[in-house]
Amino acid sequence: MAVASFIQSHEVAVVGAGPIGLEIAVALKSAGIDYVHFDAAQVGQTIYAFAPMTRFYSSNDRIAIAGVPLQTIDQGKCTREAYLAYLRSVVQQFNLQIRTYEPVEAIQRTGQEFELRTRTLTGVASQWRIGNVILATGGTARPRQLGIPGEWLPQVHHVFADPHVYFSKRVLVVGGRNSAVEAALRCHHAGAQVAISYRRERFDPAHIKYWLLPEINGLIELGQIEAHFGTVPESITPAQVILRRVESDQRVEVEADFVLVQIGYVADMSLCRMAGVELSSDQQVPVFSPLTMETNISGVYVAGTAMAGTQEHYRVFLENCHGHASRIVAAIRGGTSRVPDESPHGRPET
């Protein structure tokens, strides 16, 4: 495959075209700052990965971006499909030029600038000289793994794509936060025989959408969903899952045609590491100034949920990241934004 290499120069590179990446692009364009925008996949890829018809926890005004109102047909909380359409409309309204499906493969400092290497779908590699790099790469690059025997059997799914897959089948959902509870309920309503394994003794209301908790508890009480609280999976075979009770080490065998692992996600902080950004703790949280979003590397900024690395307990969401765009633009222009910092507050993951 022919691979070409050439160099272009821009004042700023934005990496990531999720909602905050788009909001930053609008702010840069409005400020007349020369920039180039990359994403390894499509606009709003994280939202695209939600199961069909997933509804946001946040109200529409809190997930609207760039001053563009978000309306839904029933005035209710936005669905995955409606939000993807909304993001596309923002891109079109502001005529944003985004190099989708062009991942950044390398970042290297050369003097006062950065050299980036990207690659397109057709394999064409490009080099870019950039003055400032904004990393809005999100915090859910890949699902967490159990690390147990049988986890990579074909009937074990780490991403909940569509409940229709599980119609009339026995499904064990692993996890006990919002994603797991919602998957269990949707599979149940789609006609699956659902069981759920959670390491704690009960669901924590702080980590589940308020309209889901009474339903899941009610179905468990009625015996329509089988709950194995205080258990963790130990191994998976083509026909069953061996659960271990946390308190007693007793084993429980659960028959399952499918296993749906919903235990959270891990951030990909590799671009931060390439750029020399200091990462702290096991969660790989980048070191940055909350006033400017600039990291310990001059000219490298972090935005959106990437600022929190891999979140064990979700406290940084789209809805409390809107101030990042104005802070970064002000910093690049040599000033400081007056937009106050939104205090992260606990909410279940979307």
Side-chain angles (χ1 to χ4, degrees), residues 234-249:
E234 189 170 73
S235 64
I236 303 171
T237 73
Q240 64 182 6
V241 181
I242 306 300
L243 303 178
R244 176 178 58 81
R245 296 197 182 279
V246 175
E247 295 296 329
S248 66
D249 277 346

Side-chain angles (χ1 to χ4, degrees), residues 48 74 103-104 107 118 137 180 207 211 213 315 344:
Y48 174 76
D74 61 352
V104 175
I107 301 176
T118 65
T137 51
H207 296 126
W211 62 89
L213 187 59
R315 293 180 60 81

Side-chain angles (χ1 to χ4, degrees), residues 263-320:
I263 56 173
Y265 288 83
V266 176
D268 181 357
M269 306 305 290
S270 59
L271 292 182
C272 277
R273 284 191 290 272
M274 287 181 196
V277 174
E278 182 181 347
L279 302 174
S280 65
S281 79
D282 293 341
Q283 283 70 51
Q284 300 288 281
V285 179
V287 172
F288 67 95
S289 165
L291 296 177
T292 63
M293 308 307 295
E294 188 171 27
T295 67
N296 62 292
I297 301 298
S298 177
V300 177
Y301 300 82
V302 66
T305 55
M307 66 175 275
T310 294
Q311 298 189 65
E312 182 68 30
H313 301 290
Y314 287 85
R315 293 180 60 81
V316 178
F317 298 88
L318 162 59
E319 69 171 55
N320 52 25

Side-chain angles (χ1 to χ4, degrees), residues 55-82:
R55 289 189 179 272
F56 281 78
Y57 180 94
S58 304
S59 59
N60 296 336
D61 61 312
R62 294 293 290 167
I63 59 174
I65 62 172
V68 179
L70 171 58
Q71 294 284 345
T72 54
I73 194 168
D74 61 352
Q75 295 78 52
K77 293 182 183 292
C78 194
T79 64
R80 160 194 181 270
E81 288 74 11

Side-chain angles (χ1 to χ4, degrees), residues 29 37-38 44 51 81 102-103 147 174 194 212 226 300 334 338:
K29 188 169 185 176
H37 198 167
F38 303 102
E81 288 74 11
E102 187 169 348
V174 179
V194 178
L212 299 180
E226 180 182 317
V300 177
R338 295 183 180 180

Side-chain angles (χ1 to χ4, degrees), residues 331-344:
I332 289 173
R333 283 179 145 180
T336 302
S337 171
R338 295 183 180 180
V339 175
D341 188 20
E342 299 101 329
S343 298

Side-chain angles (χ1 to χ4, degrees), residues 59-329:
S59 59
N60 296 336
D61 61 312
R62 294 293 290 167
I63 59 174
I65 62 172
V68 179
L70 171 58
Q71 294 284 345
T72 54
I73 194 168
D74 61 352
Q75 295 78 52
K77 293 182 183 292
C78 194
T79 64
R80 160 194 181 270
E81 288 74 11
Y83 197 66
L84 288 174
Y86 170 76
L87 294 182
R88 295 195 299 269
S89 72
V90 170
V91 172
Q92 292 174 325
Q93 177 175 334
F94 291 97
N95 193 27
L96 302 180
Q97 303 301 307
I98 306 169
R99 300 179 70 96
T100 54
Y101 301 104
E102 187 169 348
V104 175
E105 296 183 334
I107 301 176
Q108 181 178 350
R109 182 147 210 165
T110 56
Q112 297 301 309
E113 295 182 314
F114 298 90
E115 187 172 300
L116 274 60
R117 187 180 72 246
T118 65
R119 191 176 302 276
T120 67
L121 280 174
T122 57
V124 176
S126 301
Q127 290 180 288
W128 310 78
R129 284 207 177 98
I130 303 295
N132 299 275
V133 178
I134 303 171
L135 299 175
T137 51
T140 57
R142 61 183 184 275
R144 290 181 186 271
Q145 300 173 14
L146 295 167
I148 62 174
E151 183 168 9
W152 298 108
L153 289 169
Q155 71 269 26
V156 181
H157 300 168
H158 292 80
V159 175
F160 179 43
D162 192 316
H164 178 74
V165 173
Y166 308 104
F167 170 63
S168 80
K169 296 300 180 183
R170 300 166 300 179
V171 181
L172 174 68
V173 179
V174 179
R177 296 190 180 182
N178 191 67
S179 297
V181 167
E182 185 155 18
L185 288 171
R186 296 191 65 181
C187 288
H188 168 77
H189 291 307
Q193 180 181 327
V194 178
I196 189 166
S197 166
Y198 185 37
R199 58 182 175 152
R200 303 193 185 280
E201 293 301 326
R202 63 181 180 86
F203 299 122
D204 185 346
H207 296 126
I208 300 174
K209 294 173 183 175
Y210 61 83
W211 62 89
L212 299 180
L213 187 59
E215 184 178 11
I216 188 74
N217 284 336
L219 289 171
I220 289 171
E221 289 175 8
L222 291 171
Q224 295 184 31
I225 290 180
E226 180 182 317
H228 298 276
F229 289 114
T231 67
V232 293
E234 189 170 73
S235 64
I236 303 171
T237 73
Q240 64 182 6
V241 181
I242 306 300
L243 303 178
R244 176 178 58 81
R245 296 197 182 279
V246 175
E247 295 296 329
S248 66
D249 277 346
Q250 178 186 358
R251 270 58 178 179
V252 179
E253 296 181 0
V254 178
E255 295 184 346
D257 301 303
F258 290 98
V259 180
L260 184 53
V261 180
Q262 298 283 278
I263 56 173
Y265 288 83
V266 176
D268 181 357
M269 306 305 290
S270 59
L271 292 182
C272 277
R273 284 191 290 272
M274 287 181 196
V277 174
E278 182 181 347
L279 302 174
S280 65
S281 79
D282 293 341
Q283 283 70 51
Q284 300 288 281
V285 179
V287 172
F288 67 95
S289 165
L291 296 177
T292 63
M293 308 307 295
E294 188 171 27
T295 67
N296 62 292
I297 301 298
S298 177
V300 177
Y301 300 82
V302 66
T305 55
M307 66 175 275
T310 294
Q311 298 189 65
E312 182 68 30
H313 301 290
Y314 287 85
R315 293 180 60 81
V316 178
F317 298 88
L318 162 59
E319 69 171 55
N320 52 25
C321 293
H322 293 298
H324 297 180
S326 59
R327 291 175 217 161
I328 292 171
V329 169

